[in-house]
Structure formats: C-alpha cells, structure tokens
Amino acid sequence: MSRVMVVGAGAIGLTVAHELAVAGHRVRIVADRAARDSVSAVAAAIWFPHDVAVDDGVLESARVTYRRLESLAEDPASGVVMRSGLVRIRHADPDLAWTTAIPRSERVPDGVRCVLPVVETGRYLEWLGARVAALGVATTRAELDDLADQSDDLIVVAAGLRSGALLGGDDEVYPIRGQVVRLANPGLTEWILDNDHPDGLTYVVPRAGDVVCGGTGQAGDWNEQVDPATEAAILERARGLVPALAGQPVLSRAVGLRPARSQRRLERIGRVVACYGHGGSGFTLSWGDAARVVELCAR
C-alpha cells in the first residue's frame, strides 16, 4: 500500500484514483479544476479513439474501457448507455484498426455500423466522483507549480494540458480546440461520426436530454470562447447529415481544449507515473489506462 497523489480530476484522473483506491492504495486528488469544469465535461464522450496516435497499447486500453463501460451501462445511475450508429467512411482505404477493440462491427456501403458506449458526461462525472469519494479519496482544489515538495510515495500526473509543465517541460503537449453545440433531442437514438466530412469534423451524438453536435479539431488553438461563426458551420454540417435536427433549439454550447501529444504518455519515471496526452480519447482509454497505472504503481 502506497500514498498516491493523483493530479487532475477529469475522466482520466478520477478513473485512475478509483482504480488505485480499489487496489488498496491511500489516494488523494489535487486538481485546479473540478470535474464539471474540465474538458471532460464538454466532450460528446462517445467511445472512439480520436486525436490520439493509435498503437497496440492504445487499442488494448480502448478494448478494456469498452468492456468496462458496457458493464457500467447496466446501471442507469452511471450515465453510460450503449447506442448504435454509423462511422461514416469517405475514402477508399480507411484505418479500421479501432474495430479490433470492439466485439462486433458491420461494414456497410457508407461506413461502419456498430454499438458504442455513450457517456452522459454530467451524470457520469458526478457518479464517478461519488464512487471515488466513497472509497475514501479526498479531493483538494489547488494549482501545483511543481512536484518537488510533495511527500506522497507516488504521484500520478493526469492533469491534461498542464501535465507537461509539471513534468519539467514536456513541450510535446498541445491543445486541440473542440467546440460543441447541444440541441434539443427530437427523438434521435443513433449517433453518426464523420471525421472525413469535406467541410470539417462532424458528429451528432444523441443523449437522453439533448444532442451533442460538433465539432472542431483546431490544433494549437487556446481559445476557450464560443465562436458564433464556428457554431453556425457546425449546425449546418450536422443538419446536413441529420435533417431531423432542423428547427431544434440550442440548449447550450461549450468549448474544450483536448490535451494532445504526438503519443499519449503512459510510463513511470521514478516515483512519478505519467498518464496524459489522450487528445479526444480520454473517456475511450480511461479504464484501460487506469489499470495500467495501477500496474506501474506496483513496480
């Protein structure tokens, strides 16, 4: 049993804290933002490797996370639901490695049909936070400048965009700006992902009370303000794919900065474990990477 500090309270940080506590460690969380204010709360949060370099390790974490989210979907309180939909394919030689991480998929003329977990972020982050607290994990709101004066046996850095600076200047970390708009749901149950839309990244992800429409993938853009012109373009693309969205009122809008890197970083350096650089795949890799962090902490 070790005393472990987890830096970060987004989807990755909370999941890591949960699994470390279950494994018997004494865990605390230190984060500059609450989960509800993190980029995790902005995400459409459908299981899909996005804005992350896909390798065998990523696929394995995605596979583990799929199974865990599928299990959690049996509990309505978790905020996880399994929904069918279409990954749109627009070119002749698509990379379908991600399909090896899910139980089944079907190639159809316009893409790949499958069932994926969709996480209703508000409910899920609150549920997960409560589960973590019930395991005895305390959370402190603070912005750390460095890790040198921390007395914990182990430190897990899962602080998104701030992770590189905490680890002594990992300058590979950069933001990918994502903007979404949430519409009233006219009764949709199926999602659609169109990463290769000629006018830009497009996705429509229905949830119980709304539909998340996106998006953008603006690498290096630190702007967290909603841009009206970008929103108009998102809605035009989304309504083009799903005409039933026409006339639906806007319920909310948001911007989040995905913490990207040339490759997501998951390794132990002395008493520090790095777990960041997930791009748009935080929810997709969360449980698998958390299991790997537990292994690294046991070494």
Side-chain angles (χ1 to χ4, degrees):
M1 179 186 294
S2 299
R3 295 174 299 123
V4 186
M5 177 176 71
V6 176
V7 186
I12 295 292
L14 285 176
T15 311
V16 165
H18 183 279
E19 295 298 83
L20 285 169
V22 167
H25 297 285
R26 290 175 290 170
V27 184
R28 67 185 181 111
I29 295 173
V30 177
D32 63 338
R33 296 187 183 190
R36 64 179 177 274
D37 299 320
S38 69
V39 66
S40 297
V42 176
I46 184 170
W47 181 103
F48 192 81
H50 178 65
D51 281 342
V52 68
V54 176
D55 55 25
D56 289 344
V58 165
L59 288 174
E60 178 57 25
S61 279
R63 186 176 296 112
V64 170
T65 303
Y66 185 105
R67 291 196 299 264
R68 187 64 171 265
L69 292 176
E70 186 178 37
S71 176
L72 291 177
E74 297 175 6
D75 177 6
S78 71
V80 182
V81 295
M82 302 299 293
R83 292 191 182 275
S84 61
L86 174 73
V87 178
R88 186 78 179 268
I89 304 296
R90 292 180 179 266
H91 51 86
D93 188 25
D95 181 0
L96 300 180
W98 62 271
T99 62
T100 65
I102 64 177
R104 66 195 68 86
S105 61
E106 178 188 4
R107 191 73 160 89
V108 295
D110 56 350
V112 175
R113 292 198 62 83
C114 54
V115 175
L116 299 180
V118 174
V119 178
E120 304 213 359
T121 52
R123 290 172 59 199
Y124 179 80
L125 291 171
E126 183 177 355
W127 171 86
L128 183 56
R131 292 282 295 267
V132 167
L135 289 167
V137 178
T139 299
T140 301
R141 289 284 301 278
E143 184 171 324
L144 298 179
D145 293 323
D146 60 61
L147 306 176
D149 60 348
Q150 303 303 318
S151 61
D152 307 84
D153 300 320
L154 294 165
I155 300 170
V156 180
V157 177
L161 285 170
R162 297 193 64 249
S163 299
L166 285 171
L167 283 172
D170 178 357
D171 57 9
E172 287 193 48
V173 184
Y174 63 94
I176 298 180
R177 182 180 181 275
Q179 181 168 328
V180 299
V181 54
R182 306 180 187 106
L183 303 181
N185 191 342
L188 300 177
T189 58
E190 292 207 341
W191 48 265
I192 183 168
L193 305 179
D194 192 352
N195 290 333
D196 299 318
H197 192 291
D199 295 325
L201 169 67
T202 306
Y203 50 85
V204 174
V205 181
R207 307 190 297 189
D210 60 13
V211 182
V212 183
C213 300
T216 60
Q218 298 159 306
D221 191 334
W222 290 87
N223 180 18
E224 293 187 78
Q225 302 303 310
V226 171
D227 177 62
T230 299
E231 179 175 302
I234 289 170
L235 290 174
E236 182 177 0
R237 297 196 303 274
R239 289 165 177 160
L241 289 178
V242 185
L245 293 173
Q248 296 301 313
V250 172
L251 300 182
S252 63
R253 45 181 63 89
V255 171
L257 304 181
R258 306 179 189 112
R261 197 173 180 274
S262 58
Q263 289 185 315
R264 72 101 159 73
R265 191 174 185 185
L266 182 55
E267 62 177 330
R268 180 167 176 174
I269 314 100
R271 68 182 182 115
V272 176
V273 176
C275 185
Y276 63 90
H278 295 83
S281 301
F283 285 99
T284 302
L285 303 180
S286 55
W287 291 98
D289 274 10
R292 180 67 179 140
V293 168
V294 172
E295 293 175 3
L296 290 171
C297 286
R299 290 184 176 179

